Amino acid sequence: MLIAGNVMAWPNIFADLIETNNHNTTANVSTPSHPRLLLTDYEVGWLASLPIITSIPCILLSGFVVQLVGLKGSVAVGVVLAIVSWLLMGLTSSKTALFIGRAISGAPYALIATTIQPLVGELVSPNIRGFAASIPRFMANLGILEINVADILLPWNYTTLFCALPFVANLILLLFVPESPYWLVKKGRKDAAVSALKSLYPSADDVEEHFQEVEKCVTMSSEKPGVREQIHQMSQSSNYKPVILMATLFFLNGSNSCIFLSYSTLIFSQVGMTLDPRLCTILLGVVRLASVILGAFVSDLCGRRLLYIGSSILSILSLVLTFVSLTFSFIPKISLLISLMCFIIFSSAGINLVPSILLGEVIPSAVQSVGCSLCTILRFMFYGCFLFITPWLTSVISLRFILLIPTTAILLGTFVAWRWLPETKNRSLLEVQKVFE
């Protein structure tokens, strides 16, 4: 999930360009070792949202990739494509190659986002699943912090090259990760599923117990992992209800952090923050990283449902304080940083974390690829549209009115979670499936 953080934060490299272009001038990206690349604000907007656009067809194809190579294999393919895309963007001196590399980065973003959480959910025991499922979100925020820090220390092209390095290590570490036993059983490879469970559980009794649970879960859903079979299975209420629930939460979640992830430097620049906007962005990144760790522990202690609803309420209050800070000029600018920091804490520890955890718990095994793809597409569509129009909105309407969009989305998400979201804490995947029957 480091690819997700890098992709979302990368537009911050061009924050100065966007600011310059708002004065109807042409910006440039140049370093001593790179020829000048002229970029307009229109092109910067496309660079920011291009991976979201190209990821949509890749998400649609992710189910077929999972069917062929499995969940672990899909993650490995995504990591390789991530390395290729970042190297192409960092080494190029051509604007065309820059756009091509940025477009390619949507493919690993799509593959990893739709497969990593189901893989974690199927490999980890229920008592620590909340914490383990939070690690991908932690890595995404680490990627955001990494690129913002590198942006201060390095030229833009070296920062881009630096983004490729962690994925080489990821590719090596994937060699020690077993394939999903659920996928292996669906493929009829029961011996391989037992071997995968043995690498996860030391006790032979635990291996036998979990293997029986996997077989029951697969039999209860479908032993055919194909995409067509999954689409057919969507006609059952026990399958489409959890998919609709998660798709709604992911769709509403698409806007509540977009502006604070990709354009935080732009926000601090436009409101006249006396502190260095880039340093403020890094400070928020550190807070976001610590908040995810806090939410990871809380999710296993108090449960996903309570964490989501509680963090939603606190996030709305933080956005209200942000709105007030932007409305009244006599309020010190530091209050804006404090209110944004509160929003980052509450949203990162709850409403942005919980849906990612639930994706590997709530989506039934029978419709896993199709369900996860649908949720991811809806989130990317909302996120991508908001990402593309944010620079334009900041020049057309006041920045404080843009905050009404994530506030409304969080309110709707809170109602949906309160009304229909079940608690998944300490429940096996089989028990969670039965809840929706």
Side-chain angles (χ1 to χ4, degrees):
M1 283 301 286
L2 199 63
I3 177 66
N6 291 150
V7 167
M8 288 186 289
W10 197 66
N12 272 331
I13 292 178
F14 301 109
D16 293 337
L17 308 182
I18 299 173
E19 183 180 8
T20 302
N21 291 332
N22 284 335
H23 293 85
N24 298 320
T25 59
T26 301
N28 70 84
V29 183
S30 62
T31 66
S33 61
H34 265 60
R36 177 173 295 180
L37 296 176
L38 298 177
L39 296 174
T40 65
D41 55 352
Y42 179 76
E43 291 171 330
V44 170
W46 274 107
L47 279 173
S49 56
L50 195 55
I52 309 298
I53 298 172
T54 57
S55 66
I56 293 178
C58 296
I59 293 172
L60 295 174
L61 295 174
S62 63
F64 296 99
V65 177
V66 172
Q67 182 181 352
L68 292 174
V69 298
L71 293 173
K72 174 191 172 182
S74 299
V75 174
V77 171
V79 171
V80 172
L81 290 175
I83 296 173
V84 172
S85 64
W86 290 114
L87 289 178
L88 181 59
M89 287 188 287
L91 295 173
T92 185
S93 58
S94 165
K95 186 191 299 186
T96 301
L98 183 68
F99 275 83
I100 292 174
R102 184 66 172 165
I104 293 175
S105 67
Y109 192 9
L111 284 174
I112 296 176
T114 54
T115 56
I116 189 66
Q117 290 296 355
L119 179 62
V120 172
E122 293 180 355
L123 292 179
V124 181
S125 60
N127 58 327
I128 60 169
R129 193 168 56 218
F131 178 82
S134 303
I135 295 177
R137 174 61 59 175
F138 174 84
M139 295 304 296
N141 285 282
L142 182 62
I144 295 171
L145 180 60
E146 166 208 337
I147 202 169
N148 286 324
V149 172
D151 184 34
I152 293 179
L153 303 176
L154 301 171
W156 76 270
N157 56 303
Y158 295 146
T159 299
T160 305
L161 285 173
F162 181 73
C163 290
L165 295 179
F167 298 105
V168 177
N170 287 349
L171 197 59
I172 297 173
L173 292 174
L174 273 173
L175 298 175
F176 303 95
V177 177
E179 181 57 84
S180 164
Y182 291 80
W183 181 82
L184 292 171
V185 170
K186 288 179 182 180
K187 285 291 187 178
R189 300 167 57 185
K190 295 186 178 181
D191 291 339
V194 172
S195 298
L197 290 171
K198 286 181 179 179
S199 65
L200 297 172
Y201 303 99
S203 171
D205 293 336
D206 289 339
V207 171
E208 180 64 25
E209 178 183 348
H210 283 87
F211 180 73
Q212 291 179 0
E213 180 182 316
V214 170
E215 283 194 312
K216 290 180 181 178
C217 193
V218 171
T219 303
M220 176 181 171
S221 56
S222 173
E223 295 185 358
K224 298 180 180 179
V227 174
R228 290 183 179 179
E229 177 65 20
Q230 291 187 40
I231 295 175
H232 177 72
Q233 292 289 329
M234 283 288 288
S235 61
Q236 299 181 15
S237 61
S238 59
N239 290 329
Y240 71 72
K241 285 181 179 178
V243 170
I244 292 176
L245 172 63
M246 289 306 304
T248 303
L249 291 180
F250 266 76
F251 177 76
L252 295 174
N253 184 253
S255 71
N256 65 45
S257 61
C258 168
I259 190 172
F260 303 107
L261 290 179
S262 298
Y263 292 116
S264 53
T265 303
L266 172 64
I267 294 174
F268 291 129
S269 299
Q270 290 199 354
V271 299
M273 181 69 68
T274 55
L275 299 175
D276 187 342
R278 296 185 185 274
L279 291 177
C280 293
T281 299
I282 292 175
L283 178 60
L284 289 180
V286 173
V287 172
R288 187 184 298 114
L289 205 61
S291 301
V292 172
I293 298 175
L294 175 64
F297 285 102
V298 175
S299 66
D300 281 325
L301 292 176
C302 70
R304 306 357 162 198
R305 185 174 184 273
L306 181 60
L307 177 60
Y308 188 95
I309 295 174
S311 66
S312 296
I313 296 173
L314 294 174
S315 296
I316 291 172
L317 293 177
S318 300
L319 287 176
V320 171
L321 292 177
T322 304
F323 183 88
V324 173
S325 299
L326 291 172
T327 302
F328 300 101
S329 58
F330 62 85
I331 298 179
K333 296 299 182 183
I334 193 66
S335 63
L336 173 64
L337 179 60
I338 294 173
S339 60
L340 284 179
M341 192 176 298
C342 291
F343 175 78
I344 292 297
I345 292 173
F346 299 133
S347 62
S348 299
I351 55 178
N352 291 334
L353 177 65
V354 172
S356 298
I357 298 175
L358 292 174
L359 190 65
E361 295 181 326
V362 173
I363 302 296
S365 178
V367 293
Q368 186 183 82
S369 297
V370 173
C372 291
S373 298
L374 177 61
C375 294
T376 309
I377 283 178
L378 289 175
R379 184 179 186 179
F380 283 8
M381 287 176 61
F382 200 161
Y383 183 90
C385 291
F386 202 50
L387 189 68
F388 183 76
I389 66 174
T390 295
W392 174 75
L393 283 177
T394 56
S395 62
V396 174
I397 62 175
S398 175
L399 182 63
R400 66 180 184 272
F401 291 113
I402 298 178
L403 299 179
L404 296 177
I405 300 176
T407 302
T408 303
I410 295 173
L411 278 171
L412 293 174
T414 305
F415 173 76
V416 170
W418 170 77
R419 181 66 179 83
W420 291 290
L421 181 64
E423 183 54 70
T424 60
K425 172 188 173 184
N426 292 332
R427 285 183 171 180
S428 67
L429 298 183
L430 183 61
E431 291 174 329
V432 175
Q433 281 190 218
K434 290 182 178 179
V435 170
F436 291 96
E437 290 186 333

